[in-house]
Amino acid sequence: PASYTNTNDDVGIFSVVTGGTIKNLLLENIVVTATDRTNVGILVGRVESGTIQKVGVQGTSSVLGLNYVGGLIGRFRGGSITESFSLATATATSLDAGGLIGRIECNGNINISNSYARGAVSTGSYYSGGFVGEVNGCSPSYTMSISKCYSTGALTSSYTPYGFGLISLGLNDTASGNLYDSTTTGLTDPTYAPYRTTGQMQNIVTYLNLGFD
């Protein structure tokens, strides 16, 4: 596998993305290690704005950091993610790890849809989520939408883990049609996203009923 180690914050194949588009990219067997660093992702450490479309991480990929660690993106602050996925294992030795994104917070409008995460997620402290570690909702100046996304990875945390993610929504924000696997996570809390068993997650009807394309 390809291995990448950095001694600065904002760690990933792309350190920081501000504008532009990353699309039609498949990454395999990528290992990112940044033990004492914040904003750590396999594709991007931190996204301020821009478009991520049809990007995937597969194989024996993994990412390790201190805070805000994601299987695709460490910290996402604006832009869109569509038709993307990660199978990577994501580990934060302290705060906020997610199967796709470690932490979401608004510095602009955000739209995330038709994406998924299947890798195991763990944190040394809090929060761990199958799809996103933590979502900090937008102020009325911006809007955020997370829809038609799912996660299936096992979760480990010294604090309460969240099947899909800990989601705090602002006044104009929405999170709908999302889903997580209750069998692999061992969780059955529908507060932030509905859950289904592994058997149900393997049935296409489950997704059609939630409006997936």
Side-chain angles (χ1 to χ4, degrees):
S3 182
Y4 179 69
T5 303
N6 200 318
T7 57
N8 300 306
D9 288 341
D10 303 325
V11 182
I13 293 175
F14 299 95
S15 177
V16 179
V17 169
T18 304
T21 299
I22 302 173
K23 63 186 293 188
N24 299 331
L25 180 63
L26 184 62
L27 304 171
E28 187 167 8
N29 301 336
I30 306 294
V31 177
V32 175
T33 304
T35 308
D36 299 320
R37 301 300 161 185
T38 293
N39 305 335
V40 185
I42 288 182
L43 179 68
V44 188
R46 173 166 53 93
V47 175
E48 292 293 324
S49 62
T51 299
I52 312 295
Q53 182 180 12
K54 294 184 178 179
V55 176
V57 176
Q58 63 182 21
T60 57
S61 297
S62 65
V63 55
L64 170 68
L66 180 65
N67 301 315
Y68 311 157
V69 179
L72 191 69
I73 296 167
R75 193 175 193 171
F76 191 76
R77 304 188 69 217
S80 66
I81 302 172
T82 58
E83 300 174 275
S84 297
F85 71 90
S86 178
L87 310 185
T89 298
T91 303
T93 56
S94 185
L95 309 177
D96 290 1
L100 199 79
I101 307 161
R103 178 179 173 88
I104 298 173
E105 57 188 37
C106 285
N107 190 41
N109 295 330
I110 288 175
N111 179 60
I112 302 170
S113 64
N114 294 295
S115 298
Y116 64 88
R118 292 182 180 171
V121 179
S122 64
T123 58
S125 182
Y126 56 90
Y127 300 98
S128 65
F131 188 80
V132 55
E134 183 178 8
V135 177
N136 188 3
C138 294
S139 71
S141 302
Y142 303 116
T143 62
M144 175 174 58
S145 172
I146 306 172
S147 64
K148 301 178 184 177
C149 298
Y150 72 88
S151 59
T152 64
L155 303 174
T156 304
S157 177
S158 59
Y159 194 82
T160 303
Y162 296 88
F164 188 79
L166 175 61
I167 300 176
S168 174
L169 296 177
L171 183 64
N172 299 317
D173 302 338
T174 59
S176 62
N178 303 307
L179 194 63
Y180 74 90
D181 189 319
S182 61
T183 306
T184 55
T185 62
L187 301 174
T188 54
D189 182 357
T191 304
Y192 303 108
Y195 59 85
R196 299 290 187 273
T197 65
T198 296
Q200 291 170 322
M201 296 286 287
Q202 293 172 346
N203 188 335
I204 192 172
V205 174
T206 297
Y207 302 94
L208 295 176
N209 287 340
L210 287 169
F212 278 70
D213 296 332

